[in-house]
Amino acid sequence: MNAALGSGGIILGFVASLGGIVTLGTGLARRRGRLLIAGRTYVWLVALGALLAFGFMERALLTHDWSIAFVANNSSRHTPFPFNVATLWSALEGSIILWTTVLSGYLVATAIKFRKRASDPLVGWATLTMFVVSMFFFGLMLPNIGPADPFKGTPFVVPPGFDGPGPNALLQNHILMAIHPPMLYLGYVGFTVPFAFAIAALMTGRLGEGWLLETRRWTLFAWGFLTIGIVLGAWWSYEVLGWGGAWAWDPVENASFLPWLTGTAYLHSVMVQERRGMLRVWNIGLLCATFSLTILGTFLTRSGVLDSVHAFTESGIGPWILTFFAFTVLVTIGLIGWRGDRLRAPGRIDSPLSREGAFLFNNLFFAVFAFAVLLGTVWPLIVEAINGQQLSVGRPWFDFFGMVLGLCLLGLMAIAPVLPWRKTSTETLAKRLQWPAWSGVAAVVFAVSVGARGLAPLVAFALGGFAAGSALRQVVLSTRRQGWRGFIGRANGGMIVHLGVVVLVVGYIASTTFQSSREVRFTPGQKVTIEGHTLEYLNSSSKANDRFTSVAADIRVDGSKVYAPALRQYPENSQAIGTPSVRTTLVDDVYLSLLTTPADGDVVNVRVIIEPLAVWMWIGGGLMAFGAALAAWPGRRRNPLDPVSAPVSSPRDDEHASTPDSLDEPDEPDESEPVFTGVD
């Protein structure tokens, strides 16, 4: 029953997507509003198909339906409930089910949001584009046809008492694996909505600012979920893999980082188009690049072409996804070329010393950063495809570009928020940067006083303090003028995100640059002092259950709580899996990783890593998510014109563009001011 009904859901979703494409395409070609309205019906059928596939696969996993190959290969009777649920997205076929389910949710949300404008061609083209994406992913799972059929039958006779291997051992020893992938998918798939409206704007020729206003919050939510997913993934790596790091420029990590970079650039750049009607090509290009990179990331993680702890095994899905990626890129480039004359901006950048000038530099830095990460990630594939030689691009490549471009972006984060629109004088800029600059100096003095050394870290701390001071200044000015109501909205939400980035970067730099690592051979009762922390080895302990056998070393840290790093042996793994134990404070982490099982006399080898300020990486990630929520929350902006059908209006100058700074007025205009809403 699970296989039949789940496969039926996939067929329903595919046919409904195709029906939606045909209905909407006919309505758009013949300009029949009734067909555009009728096309919305297929949204609910797509959602029903996805829910059937998702629900019956979960039912198969929870009831251990071994007649389905996916269940037999990835589930186990002994897997705990939350990890059994998460098994669906721990392997290839189930992850595609999750993708289509999330996409159908966004389709339903879009249909509800724009239900009163279902006959609008812009909404029609956007919905059609989303149907094309959903049809592709349902097509990957078509029974007996698609390369990722999740309900394919088990190719052998299941013997009595059979039990599957369960998910990968690394994916069932921390609860973050039940949360991290869905967050990433909500971000990945969420970018389909603004991409669809970008395609719709190109198809209809309505390339003014109306479609941007329609999709701004969709983009913010997608970016916020992707940010949360990346941070949770880094936290999982830190807590599980035993090396004491959170980010290693792993190819699959890069696959999620790439759309984050271009999506972040878009969220900054779009403000220039809304305010001044400029950077239209940039914004269309960044949105299309972001969606295309989510498809490329899907190829990198699910085709098996990359060797990664995160990647799935080799499969036949790669050529399909790569073809869809190429199709997406070619279509968007062709549409941008076709509409090139209408993408010309009505204004120009008057001075590089302006907010729009800073955002242009911001775009360039993010674009170079994304290109460097992309090139380092795919270069081994390119070389292997050309001459068969296998090589890898190491951390020095990524660390160099990450450090240089990261410092540049921190500097822009400090300067851009205080710049007015159009232009400013150096005297006004110097005055506005006075307090942020002092905060940067204070950050360096504090870092040196606690023992920080090295040019690059100290420059990063200085720029981090500079950027934090600039963001705090903007928040204070805004709330002083408008009260706490002024705290909510895009401007202050963006500043909270900036603060989160600074906090995360400072935590990352401190924990990686100034960490102290040491391997200690402990005997029972032995005490060791490392970086001011006293560690006492008490004894070893072991336990066994149906899932694994475990040996742990009980170590008392600083005379208080006992921590127990362990080695777990799973039946399906030939090597033991380490389970670190971490004592976390606001000052530092004491990271304990057991290297060997107890030898004669209960002797153990333990890696001890002291990581300053590591917890601030996760606090910074939380601040970024909070800032994104604030930015997406409706502020005091009024919308006097219909954002899609409004006539062209002239961009208005910022009345404070060249006035002296005042503590009574924020640099960012009040959100009740209208923005440039011209539509071609």
Side-chain angles (χ1 to χ4, degrees):
M1 183 180 73
N2 292 320
L5 293 177
S7 296
I10 291 171
I11 295 172
L12 174 62
F14 180 84
V15 172
S17 299
L18 180 60
I21 293 170
V22 172
T23 303
L24 290 174
T26 303
L28 289 164
R30 298 182 179 180
R31 300 184 179 182
R32 293 184 179 179
R34 290 184 179 180
L35 286 178
L36 297 184
I37 295 173
R40 294 179 64 249
T41 306
Y42 294 95
V43 169
W44 305 100
L45 294 175
V46 169
L48 176 61
L51 288 175
L52 285 173
F54 184 91
F56 282 101
M57 179 55 78
E58 284 290 7
R59 184 178 185 274
L61 289 167
L62 295 175
T63 59
H64 311 297
D65 185 352
W66 307 123
S67 66
I68 298 174
F70 181 85
V71 178
N73 294 332
N74 298 287
S75 184
S76 171
R77 299 181 190 275
H78 306 301
T79 303
F81 174 78
F83 297 111
N84 210 4
V85 172
T87 298
L88 185 140
W89 50 83
S90 69
L92 171 66
E93 293 85 355
S95 71
I96 303 299
I97 291 180
L98 179 62
W99 186 292
T100 55
T101 304
V102 174
L103 180 58
S104 70
Y106 278 112
L107 257 170
V108 169
T110 304
I112 293 174
K113 170 68 175 176
F114 300 105
R115 62 188 179 278
K116 295 182 180 179
R117 301 204 347 245
S119 60
D120 187 331
L122 186 80
V123 177
W125 276 112
T127 308
L128 186 150
T129 302
M130 295 181 72
F131 276 140
V132 170
V133 179
S134 68
M135 187 181 74
F136 169 74
F137 281 98
F138 275 112
L140 293 176
M141 301 185 294
L142 281 175
N144 303 317
I145 299 175
D149 177 8
F151 293 99
K152 183 170 52 179
T154 305
F156 56 87
V157 177
V158 179
F162 174 83
D163 191 21
N168 187 306
L170 286 173
L171 305 182
Q172 55 175 313
N173 64 347
H174 201 291
I175 194 60
L176 283 177
M177 274 315 298
I179 307 170
H180 153 61
M183 290 292 114
L184 275 182
Y185 279 57
L186 284 167
Y188 260 9
V189 184
F191 281 113
T192 306
V193 179
F195 167 76
F197 274 91
I199 295 296
L202 288 167
M203 291 299 300
T204 59
R206 290 154 61 171
L207 294 164
E209 285 52 65
W211 69 274
L212 294 174
L213 300 179
E214 297 289 9
T215 60
R216 182 178 71 84
R217 288 192 177 92
W218 298 93
T219 310
L220 271 171
F221 282 126
W223 182 89
F225 282 125
L226 184 58
T227 300
I228 294 171
I230 291 173
V231 173
L232 290 180
W235 198 355
W236 171 84
S237 175
Y238 179 77
E239 292 277 350
V240 169
L241 297 184
W243 62 296
W247 191 265
W249 299 105
D250 180 277
V252 179
E253 291 174 340
N254 294 345
S256 63
F257 190 47
L258 285 166
W260 186 90
L261 287 171
T262 54
T264 305
Y266 168 76
L267 286 174
H268 287 83
S269 179
V270 72
M271 289 188 283
V272 180
Q273 185 173 345
E274 289 182 5
R275 187 60 185 259
R276 299 287 311 280
M278 297 186 297
L279 302 185
R280 291 181 177 182
V281 175
W282 267 106
N283 293 325
I284 289 280
L286 286 171
L287 262 185
C288 294
T290 300
F291 176 77
S292 299
L293 286 171
T294 65
I295 301 300
L296 181 63
T298 307
F299 166 74
L300 294 175
T301 56
R302 287 157 183 78
S303 64
V305 299
L306 292 174
D307 184 18
S308 165
V309 69
H310 306 78
F312 297 137
T313 56
E314 186 174 354
S315 72
I317 202 174
W320 293 64
I321 298 179
L322 198 59
T323 300
F324 186 66
F325 167 74
F327 169 77
T328 303
V329 171
L330 291 175
V331 167
T332 53
I333 291 176
L335 287 175
I336 291 173
W338 177 42
R339 294 296 190 185
D341 58 329
R342 295 198 177 191
L343 287 170
R344 286 194 294 267
R348 62 182 179 84
I349 295 178
D350 299 318
S351 168
L353 206 61
S354 62
R355 189 166 299 189
E356 52 266 50
F359 284 151
L360 179 58
F361 282 115
N362 180 82
N363 284 357
L364 292 172
F365 286 136
F366 271 113
V368 173
F369 201 167
F371 178 76
V373 174
L374 177 62
L375 183 62
T377 304
V378 303
W379 185 250
L381 302 179
I382 296 173
V383 172
E384 185 175 0
I386 293 174
N387 58 23
Q389 181 183 359
Q390 292 187 346
L391 54 82
S392 62
V393 176
R395 287 199 62 165
W397 167 275
F398 298 106
D399 285 344
F400 171 77
F401 283 101
M403 180 186 68
V404 173
L405 295 171
L407 293 177
C408 292
L409 289 169
L410 278 176
L412 270 179
M413 284 171 56
I415 297 172
V418 307
L419 287 170
W421 297 96
R422 289 193 175 275
K423 60 184 177 181
T424 189
S425 65
T426 54
E427 293 80 5
T428 299
L429 181 60
K431 182 179 179 181
R432 293 182 174 188
L433 290 176
Q434 180 179 358
W435 288 108
W438 278 114
S439 67
V441 172
V444 173
V445 171
F446 176 77
V448 171
S449 68
V450 297
R453 298 293 184 270
L455 178 61
L458 291 178
V459 171
F461 289 146
L463 291 175
F466 195 11
S470 180
L472 285 172
R473 175 183 179 276
Q474 295 301 103
V475 172
V476 169
L477 289 174
S478 183
T479 52
R480 285 185 61 179
R481 178 182 179 184
Q482 303 178 47
W484 285 107
R485 284 187 62 190
F487 186 70
I488 298 174
R490 177 168 53 177
N492 282 340
M495 293 302 100
I496 299 300
V497 171
H498 281 199
L499 286 174
V501 171
V502 170
V503 170
L504 187 150
V505 168
V506 168
Y508 178 78
I509 291 173
S511 63
T512 55
T513 305
F514 304 114
Q515 71 172 215
S516 175
S517 178
R518 178 177 168 186
E519 292 186 12
V520 181
R521 182 179 175 86
F522 278 109
T523 57
Q526 180 181 355
K527 291 184 178 181
V528 174
T529 300
I530 301 176
E531 298 293 331
H533 295 282
T534 301
L535 285 72
E536 179 184 4
Y537 173 47
L538 303 179
N539 51 46
S540 65
S541 59
S542 61
K543 67 176 181 178
N545 55 36
D546 294 332
R547 296 172 57 219
F548 58 81
T549 58
S550 173
V551 178
D554 296 330
I555 300 175
R556 190 184 303 277
V557 178
D558 292 334
S560 57
K561 187 176 178 180
V562 175
Y563 294 82
L567 288 172
R568 291 181 177 181
Q569 185 68 59
Y570 289 82
E572 66 275 11
N573 286 82
S574 59
Q575 293 184 338
I577 303 297
T579 304
S581 186
V582 186
R583 200 286 296 272
T584 298
T585 67
L586 294 177
V587 177
D588 59 17
D589 282 10
V590 179
Y591 191 101
L592 306 173
S593 183
L594 184 62
L595 301 178
T596 60
T597 54
D600 295 338
D602 229 14
V603 176
V604 295
N605 291 325
V606 178
R607 178 182 291 118
V608 181
I609 307 175
I610 310 300
E611 306 205 40
L613 307 182
V615 71
W616 291 96
M617 290 188 287
W618 326 130
I619 295 174
L623 278 174
M624 292 170 69
F626 176 63
L630 278 181
W633 194 269
R636 297 178 58 193
R637 184 186 303 278
R638 59 184 174 88
N639 191 12
L641 301 174
D642 176 43
V644 171
S645 58
V648 177
S649 62
S650 298
R652 59 189 304 277
D653 298 343
D654 183 358
E655 59 191 60
H656 303 297
S658 57
T659 57
D661 190 23
S662 168
L663 289 179
D664 295 326
E665 296 183 0
D667 300 321
E668 182 73 13
D670 185 281
E671 287 203 359
S672 62
E673 295 185 14
V675 296
F676 179 68
T677 56
V679 179
D680 293 334

